[in-house]
Amino acid sequence: MNPNPSVIIIGAGMTGLGAAYYLRANGIPYAILEAKSDLGGVWNTHRWHGARCDSDFIKYSFSFKPFLSAQCLQGREQIHEYLRDVAQEFLIAENIRFDCRVRKAVFHPAEQRWAVHTTQGVFRAQFLLNGNGYFADEPYKPAFRDAERFKGEIVHTSHLDGRRSFAGKKVVVVGSGATAICCAPELARVSASVVLLQRSPSYIYEISNQAGLLIRLCQALYRRNPRR
């Protein structure tokens, strides 16, 4: 990792890796401080059943290295591997300090520099870029009345491991957002039954996960003449 960076980036997820690419392309030294032992942000930490990007991933991937695939939606494992490839190809990984949790950041006007206090000491730089995203380590958990009397288990999806089975058990998924829509079908495969509980009515219809003609044509043109 660069010992004298001009920029310190907090977080080695999509934002941090993207910022690192452009800083390097412009010759600006940087360092990334990552609290976890691996890069990827949410695509490293959220491992619930069916975890995936809920929009066409080629539009979500980096313009300097688009993710080319015949499928529109990609799962967590594919996205995580893609981010690792990006970090290796563009020499970003060597500038990441892992297991380095930021405790506080203080700007010193006299020095015109930031002092970033972490579990591995204090790092200093002229600029600070916060790329730690909006998924907290401890997500919001609503309080359910009489939850203490419930004889089953209440688990938040952010703490759920996709390798876990609920064989012989009845599962209720609370909510009908993107996480629930991705999670419920996969939970149904490893449990006795699944009920999706929603507050407001919504409508869902099934579509193909195959990329359309336009996206496939754009991918073919890119493969013929990739730009960096």
Side-chain angles (χ1 to χ4, degrees):
M1 191 181 83
N2 193 318
N4 299 299
S6 296
V7 182
I8 286 178
I9 302 170
I10 301 176
M14 293 288 293
T15 299
L17 297 179
Y21 170 84
Y22 287 105
L23 288 170
R24 177 177 178 270
N26 287 278
I28 301 174
Y30 68 90
I32 302 177
L33 307 180
E34 170 55 52
K36 305 298 183 183
S37 59
D38 198 358
L39 57 79
V42 65
W43 304 114
N44 170 44
T45 58
H46 284 212
R47 298 169 178 256
W48 38 270
H49 301 69
R52 70 182 185 210
C53 180
D54 60 348
S55 58
D56 290 359
F57 189 68
I58 191 171
K59 302 174 184 176
Y60 184 71
S61 61
F62 299 119
S63 59
F64 54 84
K65 188 177 174 63
F67 188 95
L68 307 180
S69 173
Q71 292 188 319
C72 298
L73 307 182
Q74 300 297 325
R76 185 203 70 81
E77 295 85 356
Q78 290 74 28
I79 299 172
H80 194 199
E81 188 61 31
Y82 162 74
L83 295 177
R84 283 176 171 169
D85 290 343
V86 168
Q88 291 296 332
E89 180 177 343
F90 299 102
L91 307 179
I92 298 172
E94 62 190 39
N95 290 301
I96 303 175
R97 178 69 67 92
F98 291 107
D99 299 309
C100 186
R101 182 175 294 277
V102 173
R103 297 300 189 190
K104 67 177 181 178
V106 181
F107 183 70
H108 297 281
E111 303 174 13
Q112 290 293 293
R113 295 181 71 81
W114 286 90
V116 183
H117 299 252
T118 77
T119 52
Q120 295 188 25
V122 180
F123 299 85
R124 292 178 170 82
Q126 186 178 2
F127 299 99
L128 178 64
L129 195 159
N130 186 4
N132 65 355
Y134 52 84
F135 288 99
D137 283 348
E138 287 301 323
Y140 169 72
K141 298 177 182 178
F144 297 107
R145 190 176 65 182
D146 297 329
E148 69 280 358
R149 297 170 56 188
F150 181 58
K151 296 181 179 180
E153 180 184 4
I154 299 176
V155 56
H156 194 281
T157 48
S158 65
H159 297 155
L160 193 59
D161 191 320
R163 297 171 296 182
R164 181 177 177 182
S165 173
F166 293 88
K169 296 183 179 180
K170 299 178 180 179
V171 177
V172 175
V173 178
V174 179
S176 56
T179 299
I181 298 306
C182 295
C183 189
E186 297 304 317
L187 281 172
R189 303 177 194 275
V190 295
S191 61
S193 67
V194 170
V195 172
L196 188 66
L197 183 65
Q198 59 179 355
R199 178 175 55 186
S200 303
S202 59
Y203 299 89
I204 302 169
Y205 63 94
E206 185 176 357
I207 61 173
S208 171
N209 193 27
Q210 296 302 305
L213 177 60
L214 179 59
I215 290 181
R216 287 187 281 117
L217 177 60
C218 291
Q219 291 186 31
L221 292 174
Y222 179 85
R223 288 189 177 98
R224 293 183 60 182
N225 185 28
R227 294 191 304 162
R228 289 288 185 265

